[in-house]
Amino acid sequence: MQWTKEDTELYLTEKKYVDTLIIPLIPFNPETDSTIAKEAFQRELNHLTTHLLEKGYKGRILLAPDYNYITGNYEEESQRINQWIEKFEKQPFAHIFLFTFDTKWKRWEKELRGHLLWVPSLHERNLQSTETKSFVKEQVNQISDLIKAYWD
């Protein structure tokens, strides 16, 4: 289920079956020319990956709105993310995952109330290429296995 009117209305009637939340973490820093394209690509790749995950487990996973953050102040951002998680825990969700390609979150993982799913990113490529689609499908399969381990 996605963060749309239709899906959230369905979630509200079926929430006892939806125990998992995925929050996409999207870096954003327009001050640095060298990272604009990289971060935009990571955002697109994050969307592609998390939407495929949600699609595979529709009715069990809710895909939260993107959590956009300005890179650099991970301590402050981890506190803000934890505030988001506190609100979502009231639904309640048994499993909350934070999905990112940003390696810097690994340093702050212990501070986060959710489970960090960090995956190495591809270098900027065409998202429609066979190679990229294959990479994303393989990552989704591996992430699915990890999420299922938490469900057991």
Side-chain angles (χ1 to χ4, degrees):
M1 298 178 168
Q2 297 182 33
W3 198 258
T4 63
K5 181 179 184 299
E6 182 180 336
D7 279 3
T8 54
E9 286 174 347
L10 180 60
Y11 162 74
L12 292 172
T13 62
E14 303 293 329
K15 71 161 78 177
K16 64 185 173 191
Y17 304 109
V18 185
D19 65 351
T20 304
L21 178 75
I22 297 177
I23 303 172
L25 302 180
I26 308 296
F28 174 72
N29 191 346
E31 290 177 336
T32 311
D33 289 353
S34 63
T35 61
I36 289 176
K38 177 184 173 189
E39 290 173 351
F41 177 75
Q42 282 186 11
R43 178 186 159 276
E44 291 178 74
L45 192 59
N46 192 312
H47 282 184
L48 181 60
T49 305
T50 54
H51 282 82
L52 281 174
L53 270 170
E54 179 275 330
K55 186 177 180 181
Y57 296 101
K58 192 167 190 93
R60 178 92 193 247
I61 290 177
L62 178 65
L63 183 57
D66 293 346
Y67 179 87
N68 295 283
Y69 61 94
I70 296 177
T71 55
N73 194 347
Y74 291 87
E75 182 176 9
E76 186 177 303
E77 292 297 343
S78 63
Q79 292 170 7
R80 279 187 54 222
I81 290 170
N82 286 337
Q83 289 174 346
W84 266 45
I85 292 170
E86 283 177 36
K87 302 290 184 192
F88 279 116
E89 285 172 335
K90 292 179 181 174
Q91 277 304 313
F93 286 99
H95 311 284
I96 297 177
F97 296 96
L98 305 158
F99 183 78
T100 187
F101 293 106
D102 184 349
T103 59
K104 293 179 182 84
W105 279 113
K106 288 299 287 176
R107 181 170 178 239
W108 296 96
E109 184 172 15
K110 291 180 182 176
E111 307 300 321
L112 300 171
R113 292 178 64 143
H115 303 288
L116 184 69
L117 297 173
W118 169 78
V119 176
S121 181
L122 286 171
H123 292 290
E124 296 168 37
R125 295 198 171 125
N126 179 349
L127 288 175
Q128 302 306 317
S129 75
T130 305
E131 183 181 86
T132 302
K133 288 180 180 180
S134 177
F135 170 82
V136 170
K137 284 181 185 178
E138 181 58 33
Q139 293 294 5
V140 167
N141 288 337
Q142 290 178 20
I143 295 165
S144 293
D145 289 344
L146 179 61
I147 290 172
K148 284 190 258 181
Y150 280 93
W151 288 344
D152 292 337

